[in-house]
């Protein structure tokens, strides 16, 4: 599956492309999945020996990397261009 920038090619005048928020939603789903895997792996320790520690480390590092990258993407490409049309 390729969820690149070509997921929404048709948009009308005055509308923005929802590609960045969709990418953020996909990253959130992946991080939730990683959290579930970490939870299950943490519960399966025997005698203070957790053989699933590599899975925990990998999923934690992947989640941190994904969240860091997508937050910068969201800030640079979606939030930085927002302007208010009404003075409050």
């Amino acid at each position: 599956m390729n969820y690149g920038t070509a997921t929404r090619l048709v948009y009308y005048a005055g509308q923005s492309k929802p590609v960045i928020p969709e990418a953020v939603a996909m990253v959130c789903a992946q991080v939730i999945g990683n959290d579930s895997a970490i939870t299950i792996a943490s519960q399966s320790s025997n005698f203070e020996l957790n053989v699933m520690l590599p899975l925990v480390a990998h999923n934690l590092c992947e989640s941190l990397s994904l969240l860091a990258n997508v937050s910068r993407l969201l800030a640079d490409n979606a939030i930085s261009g927002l302007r208010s049309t009404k003075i409050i």
Side-chain angles (χ1 to χ4, degrees), residues 3-38:
Y3 295 110
T5 57
T7 56
R8 293 276 176 104
L9 293 177
V10 178
Y11 60 99
Y12 300 101
Q15 290 183 338
S16 62
K17 294 187 286 186
V19 175
I20 303 300
E22 287 175 350
V24 172
M26 286 185 277
V27 166
C28 290
Q30 180 65 45
V31 169
I32 291 169
N34 286 348
D35 179 58
S36 296
I38 289 171

Side-chain angles (χ1 to χ4, degrees), residues 1-76:
M1 296 175 146
N2 184 3
Y3 295 110
T5 57
T7 56
R8 293 276 176 104
L9 293 177
V10 178
Y11 60 99
Y12 300 101
Q15 290 183 338
S16 62
K17 294 187 286 186
V19 175
I20 303 300
E22 287 175 350
V24 172
M26 286 185 277
V27 166
C28 290
Q30 180 65 45
V31 169
I32 291 169
N34 286 348
D35 179 58
S36 296
I38 289 171
T39 301
I40 292 169
S42 298
Q43 292 174 350
S44 65
S45 62
N46 295 320
F47 307 114
E48 296 183 12
L49 174 67
N50 194 346
V51 295
M52 298 213 187
L53 197 57
L55 179 130
V56 171
H58 176 266
N59 283 354
L60 183 61
C61 290
E62 181 184 37
S63 293
L64 290 172
S65 175
L66 285 170
L67 288 171
N69 291 335
V70 81
S71 62
R72 176 55 59 192
L73 179 75
L74 181 67
D76 291 344

